[in-house]
Amino acid sequence: MNPLTARLREEIQAAPMSRRLGRIVSFNGLVIEAEGPDARLGELCEIEGAAADAAVLAEVVGFRDERVLLMPYGHVGAISTESRIRASGRPVAIAVGDGLLGRVVDALGQPLDGLGPIASAANYPLYREPINPLRRAPIDQVLDTGVRAIDTLLTLGAGQRMGVFAGSGVGKSTLLGMLARQVRADVTVLGLIGERGREVGEFLRHSLGEEGLRRAVVVAATSDESALMRVHATHAAHAVAEYFRDRGKSVLLIVDSMTRFAMAQREIGLAIGEPPTFRGYTPSVFSQLPRLLERCGRLRDSGAITGIYSVLVEGDDMNEPITDHMRAILDGHIVLTRELAARGHHPAIDVLHSVSRLMSQIAGADDNALAAEARRHLAAYEASRDLIELGAHQRGGNPALDRAIDLKPALDKLLRQAPEETCARAEALRRLGAAVHGRGA
């Protein structure tokens, strides 16, 4: 038997000899209830429409009273109680490969940039088993971001998970664009979740740029798409990052924003009958977040994924549930404040309320000491800001505060940075040392 005949025989033997079908019982606008098919949770199904080419993909998201609950990926129009549902027998996966570099795709890996089909090397499942903790390598390599405020006072490591917490209109996307362009990584994977359609194009043109896009993969699900597509886009971005990490690459993963992912997961949870908790978030939201974030890190036998997750802080409340939960899971947080942005201080990073939990381990002793001294001066100034601005402070009474006032202009100059400006970490540390020792920045 020749090889071609043998392969065809194997494929025929592996092919299903029957079709698992079901029919629609009800549809409430979000969830389809069906009698059958015999499908598993997370399995893809196809809903036949009135026309032959009007089929809609859907996913099994739950079960209720022996009925199957499905959520469609696209807009349903031509379905009825006569429409049949066919189970595919496969879970949701995304095609991955080097052909993704420089491309913009949706949650299912389909191109959005009009540049034709994408060559793939493998299929990666969107939902993977958690990494064995003993496979993880220690994070001991400093990651140069090109942003002075981060490299000097909030040093990051390759494989770390960091959050960018900000309200709306404070400069979050601008900072993420700076990191996407300037961080030294082999591959950058961007997950744009729940963005307005206009913002996706603007981020690619202005924040990422042509140079940044060449080594990047962008997975986008805009706000008009279904909650299921927004959730899947987040998982798809992680799956793409895992593909490159498994090939020994250093990957920078940026997801904007995890709040919109949580809102989409809440929408799904409420639709299938989960009980709401604080602010309406369902239990599945808080179980999904750590499983998702634990997919990042540095592994002993492959590469590393450094995760930068933006969190849109609702009402500027740093204690709202998603913000608080994310802060507890991550390896640090960068807080952007509206007050600093209003003063024209960009990026509006509040270094006194931000922290990198790994900085003490990965930065040198001299760098940590220098950062601690700069923080002390900034904290002394902020504690007495009202007195200083009112003119009530008298020099000579508090030498430490006098010193903080003298150094504040140089430190502010160091921490401000234009979006198009980049600065190597060694140069940023030199300028911090000069500012702290009163020689200007």
Side-chain angles (χ1 to χ4, degrees):
M1 185 182 297
N2 65 55
L4 178 60
T5 305
R7 185 169 61 84
L8 288 173
R9 182 176 180 178
E10 290 176 1
E11 290 182 0
I12 291 171
Q13 289 175 343
M17 296 295 108
S18 62
R19 294 198 302 171
R20 291 174 293 150
L21 301 175
R23 68 178 186 88
I24 295 175
V25 175
S26 69
F27 178 47
N28 65 7
L30 289 176
V31 175
I32 294 171
E33 287 194 32
E35 289 184 348
D38 179 17
R40 297 181 178 182
L41 194 66
E43 186 172 338
L44 272 179
C45 295
E46 191 176 85
I47 305 170
E48 299 175 358
D53 59 349
V56 177
L57 286 177
E59 181 184 336
V60 178
V61 294
F63 306 97
R64 180 189 300 142
D65 298 331
E66 298 185 359
R67 291 180 177 176
V68 180
L69 305 181
L70 303 103
M71 289 196 81
Y73 284 115
H75 300 289
V76 290
I79 66 169
S80 68
T81 53
E82 301 298 321
S83 299
R84 291 192 301 176
I85 300 170
R86 181 174 61 85
S88 70
R90 66 182 191 275
V92 187
I94 184 170
V96 293
D98 291 344
L100 284 169
L101 289 172
R103 302 300 300 270
V104 183
V105 300
D106 65 10
L108 301 177
Q110 299 303 310
L112 295 174
D113 49 17
L115 299 179
I118 300 171
S120 62
N123 286 324
Y124 264 45
L126 295 195
Y127 302 91
R128 299 186 76 183
E129 289 298 316
I131 299 169
N132 185 330
L134 299 184
R135 280 189 63 202
R136 294 184 179 273
I139 297 173
D140 53 11
Q141 298 176 6
V142 170
L143 188 73
D144 194 333
T145 69
V147 180
R148 287 193 295 268
I150 296 175
D151 286 340
T152 55
L153 303 182
L154 302 165
T155 305
L156 301 186
Q160 186 170 347
R161 302 164 306 171
M162 197 72 166
V164 177
F165 295 74
S168 56
V170 183
K172 171 174 51 65
S173 295
T174 302
L175 177 59
L176 294 178
M178 292 174 70
L179 293 170
R181 289 193 309 273
Q182 297 171 184
V183 168
R184 295 179 180 177
D186 298 325
V187 177
T188 300
V189 179
L190 287 164
L192 303 180
I193 313 302
E195 296 282 357
R196 293 181 285 270
R198 171 185 60 81
E199 291 177 326
V200 174
E202 288 183 355
F203 188 91
L204 296 179
R205 287 189 298 271
H206 304 303
S207 298
L208 187 58
E210 187 176 340
E211 181 70 24
L213 183 58
R214 275 199 206 93
R215 61 180 179 91
V217 181
V218 180
V219 182
T222 52
S223 57
D224 60 298
E225 296 191 58
S226 68
L228 197 59
M229 288 291 275
R230 281 175 272 149
V231 167
H232 278 356
T234 312
H235 287 280
H238 284 75
V240 172
E242 287 166 336
Y243 167 78
F244 289 105
R245 180 205 59 199
D246 291 346
R247 275 138 194 84
K249 304 288 188 182
S250 173
V251 183
L252 173 68
L253 171 65
I254 297 177
V255 179
D256 183 21
S257 73
M258 290 301 294
T259 304
R260 295 192 180 103
F261 163 79
M263 289 177 174
Q265 185 62 46
R266 174 177 64 183
E267 189 175 330
I268 294 171
L270 292 174
I272 63 176
E274 280 191 69
T277 58
F278 187 46
R279 294 203 182 179
Y281 286 104
T282 56
S284 64
V285 174
F286 301 105
S287 66
Q288 286 279 352
L289 288 175
R291 290 180 64 86
L292 193 63
L293 270 58
E294 284 295 330
R295 296 169 72 171
C296 294
R298 184 176 171 218
L299 302 187
R300 295 184 184 277
D301 51 357
S302 58
I305 300 175
T306 303
I308 307 290
Y309 296 92
S310 79
V311 179
L312 183 62
V313 182
E314 295 186 74
D316 292 339
D317 178 10
M318 290 298 293
N319 294 315
E320 64 93 21
I322 299 303
T323 300
D324 191 52
H325 201 67
M326 287 289 292
R327 191 168 52 228
I329 301 169
L330 292 165
D331 302 320
H333 50 274
I334 298 169
V335 177
L336 307 185
T337 63
R338 201 171 299 280
E339 183 181 0
L340 282 174
R343 292 184 207 151
H345 184 116
H346 297 288
I349 299 175
D350 185 345
V351 294
L352 295 178
H353 290 91
S354 304
V355 65
S356 171
R357 295 180 181 175
L358 298 179
M359 180 174 175
S360 61
Q361 303 172 31
I362 59 178
D366 292 342
D367 298 345
N368 278 300
L370 192 62
E373 187 174 353
R375 283 177 173 272
R376 281 196 298 272
H377 294 312
L378 291 170
Y381 186 94
E382 289 300 323
S384 301
R385 174 181 285 276
D386 292 341
L387 291 175
I388 296 167
E389 292 180 347
L390 288 171
H393 170 67
Q394 299 294 322
R395 292 188 68 89
N398 186 341
L401 182 55
D402 293 342
R403 177 73 171 162
I405 294 171
D406 293 338
L407 297 181
K408 187 67 162 59
L411 289 172
D412 280 348
K413 182 180 178 182
L414 171 79
L415 298 176
R416 290 192 182 103
Q417 189 170 340
E420 65 278 2
E421 182 185 357
T422 186
C423 181
R425 183 171 182 270
E427 173 62 15
L429 288 169
R430 185 197 65 76
R431 292 180 61 176
L432 178 63
V436 167
H437 297 113
R439 299 193 300 270

